């Protein structure tokens, strides 16, 4: 079937209005709509207004990590902002010109009174592509939550996302200087982005292939050493019962507050899939490990190489690649379909989704290898 938002409605530049207006409540209705819109606004140089941001969420509008992403997007292109405040449901960004590589510090905690453990991974998602396509190198210090629920952890970005997009020509290195779990946060991730500016290459990830290795980290901060050991032992045992050997390292790490999580990775040769579970008060360490293992096993049994989170995160890179990309994922998610619909508001690319939401399926993307920023938007020129 053709997935929601994956229609065949090509539009030429003559059909595009100067201002892009995005309904932030469409589809899945989460923060990914905002981040994708910001990324593509910066890359295309088109002023963009995002309305009804996270309208159906318990706390609608911008949370600290979203506000930090908005300000980060404006900072790298000297853009103008309207509505950049906590709880705002409408944001307008007017890019100021070419992306400026350099040194940046983005601190999620500063976006909210009393601090925040909001995800630094979501901030990096917003600015990575524009800085990777810029003409010079950038170094970022990201402060906040490095490992928090409902967001890509710094470990996932390091071991899954960044190695995959490196094959497409997007290069970056991330190092966690201090881990930040929810609710305290106070983590620090250092990111180096060499920059480049050439057309991105398409990618084909269609076969799971043989498992090369399974590994992971059972990590805690400010908790007893027996907790990561119990997580690691249980993960190894659960996977061994399925005939899978895993190396899971228990680690006590530097951090400001208590936190626990397990981060498992399976390498199939051409792609790595990642699975995460976080601890909480009253939840035994063994149950945390079992949750991550069950996600890994569910994915592995489908025979698909691309995990659901990676599929969603590859939508924008494949849309910008010069050619046709093919992905097979273990689950077509609302995030994936919503992200596709947002990209089509900015780019003349074609998506074809085969499969049903909630089940495994495939994605074919015919990218639009547009030079960024487009002709006529030179550094220093205002829109």
């Amino acid at each position: 079937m053709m997935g929601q938002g994956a229609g065949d409605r090509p539009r030429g530049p003559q059909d595009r209005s100067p201002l892009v207006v995005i309904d932030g409540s469409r589809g899945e209705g989460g923060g990914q709509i905002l981040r994708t819109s910001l990324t593509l606004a910066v890359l295309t140089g088109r002023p963009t207004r995002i309305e009804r941001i996270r309208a159906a969420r318990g706390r609608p509008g911008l949370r600290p990590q979203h506000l930090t992403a908005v300000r980060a997007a404006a900072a790298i292109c000297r853009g103008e902002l309207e509505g950049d405040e906590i709880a705002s449901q409408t944001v307008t960004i007017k890019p100021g010109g070419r992306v400026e590589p350099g040194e940046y510090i983005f601190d999620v905690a500063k976006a909210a009174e009393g601090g925040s453990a909001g995800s630094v991974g979501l901030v990096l998602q917003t600015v990575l592509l524009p800085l990777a396509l810029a003409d010079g190198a950038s170094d970022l210090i990201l402060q906040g939550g490095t490992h928090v629920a409902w967001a890509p952890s710094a470990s996932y970005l390091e071991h899954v996302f960044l190695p995959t997009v490196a094959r497409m020509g997007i290069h970056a290195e991330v190092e966690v200087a201090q881990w930040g779990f929810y609710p305290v946060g106070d983590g620090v991730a250092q990111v180096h982005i060499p920059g480049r500016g050439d057309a991105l290459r398409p990618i084909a990830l269609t076969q799971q292939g043989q498992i090369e290795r399974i590994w992971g980290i059972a990590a805690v901060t400010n908790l007893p050493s027996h907790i990561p050991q119990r997580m690691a032992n249980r993960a190894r045992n659960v996977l061994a019962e399925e005939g899978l050997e895993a190396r899971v390292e228990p680690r006590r790490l530097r951090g400001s507050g208590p936190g626990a999580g397990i981060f498992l990775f399976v390498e199939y040769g051409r792609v790595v899939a990642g699975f995460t579970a976080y601890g909480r008060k009253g939840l035994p360490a063994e149950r945390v490990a079992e949750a991550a293992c069950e996600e890994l096993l569910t994915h592995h049994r489908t025979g698909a190489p691309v995990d659901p989170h990676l599929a969603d995160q590859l939508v924008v890179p494949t849309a910008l690649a010069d050619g046709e990309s093919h992905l097979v994922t273990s689950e077509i998610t609302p995030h994936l379909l919503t992200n596709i619909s947002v990209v089509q508001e900015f780019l003349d690319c074609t998506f074809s989704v085969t499969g049903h939401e909630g089940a495994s399926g495939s994605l074919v993307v015919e990218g639009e290898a547009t030079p960024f920023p487009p002709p006529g938007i030179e550094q220093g020129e205002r829109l």
Side-chain angles (χ1 to χ4, degrees), residues 151-333:
S153 70
S155 298
Y156 184 94
L157 294 173
E158 177 184 3
H159 295 297
V160 179
F161 178 70
L162 291 179
T164 303
V165 296
R167 294 171 52 189
M168 303 180 68
I170 302 165
H171 299 285
E173 299 173 358
V174 60
E175 179 180 353
V176 179
Q178 178 165 300
W179 284 52
F181 285 104
Y182 180 86
V184 174
D186 198 29
V188 179
Q190 299 169 337
V191 183
H192 176 69
I193 305 172
R196 47 171 296 146
D198 297 334
L200 301 183
R201 299 182 293 274
I203 193 168
L205 300 172
T206 58
Q207 300 292 327
Q208 192 176 83
Q210 296 294 318
I211 292 178
E212 299 290 336
R213 60 174 176 145
I214 301 175
W215 80 101
I217 301 171
V220 301
T221 56
N222 296 300
L223 289 173
S225 60
H226 70 83
I227 294 177
Q229 188 66 63
R230 287 163 53 199
M231 287 193 292
N233 289 345
R234 184 56 181 153
R236 288 193 292 260
N237 290 338
V238 169
L239 295 175
E241 291 171 2
E242 299 291 329
L244 301 175
E245 180 181 355
R247 297 176 60 88
V248 185
E249 178 185 2
R251 296 181 65 186
R252 295 183 73 225
L253 298 157
R254 177 186 174 191
S256 294
I262 187 167
F263 310 90
L264 300 178
F265 308 99
V266 53
E267 181 177 347
Y268 293 108
R270 294 184 60 81
V271 66
V272 177
F275 309 91
T276 299
Y278 290 100
R280 64 178 185 272
K281 190 174 181 178
L283 182 65
E286 290 78 9
R287 302 291 86 78
V288 179
E290 289 167 3
C293 289
E294 184 56 39
E295 283 195 12
L296 186 156
L297 292 170
T298 298
H299 167 80
H300 180 65
R301 290 165 183 153
T302 68
V306 179
D307 73 58
H309 304 296
L310 182 60
D312 171 38
Q313 294 170 30
L314 289 178
V315 168
V316 177
T318 56
L320 297 171
D322 185 12
E324 191 172 86
S325 295
H326 298 251
L327 309 174
V328 175
T329 179
S330 54
E331 183 183 355
I332 297 172
T333 65

Side-chain angles (χ1 to χ4, degrees), residues 62-74:
L62 300 180
R63 304 307 306 153
Q65 64 268 30
H66 308 118
L67 178 56
T68 305
V70 167
R71 292 175 175 171

Side-chain angles (χ1 to χ4, degrees), residues 34 53-54 59-71 81-91 107-118:
L34 173 72
I53 297 169
R54 304 178 65 252
R59 291 190 290 177
L62 300 180
R63 304 307 306 153
Q65 64 268 30
H66 308 118
L67 178 56
T68 305
V70 167
R71 292 175 175 171
L81 290 174
E82 297 176 9
D84 57 322
E85 58 187 34
I86 291 292
S88 172
Q89 292 190 49
T90 300
V91 168
D107 188 348
V108 177
K110 288 185 177 180
E113 185 176 349
S116 170

Side-chain angles (χ1 to χ4, degrees), residues 13 38 45 51 53 94 105 124 141 152 189 201 211 236 261 274 301 333 344 367 372:
L38 292 169
E51 303 173 337
I53 297 169
K94 299 178 181 178
I105 299 175
L124 179 58
I141 296 177
R201 299 182 293 274
I211 292 178
R236 288 193 292 260
R301 290 165 183 153
T333 65
Q344 290 184 312
F372 299 110

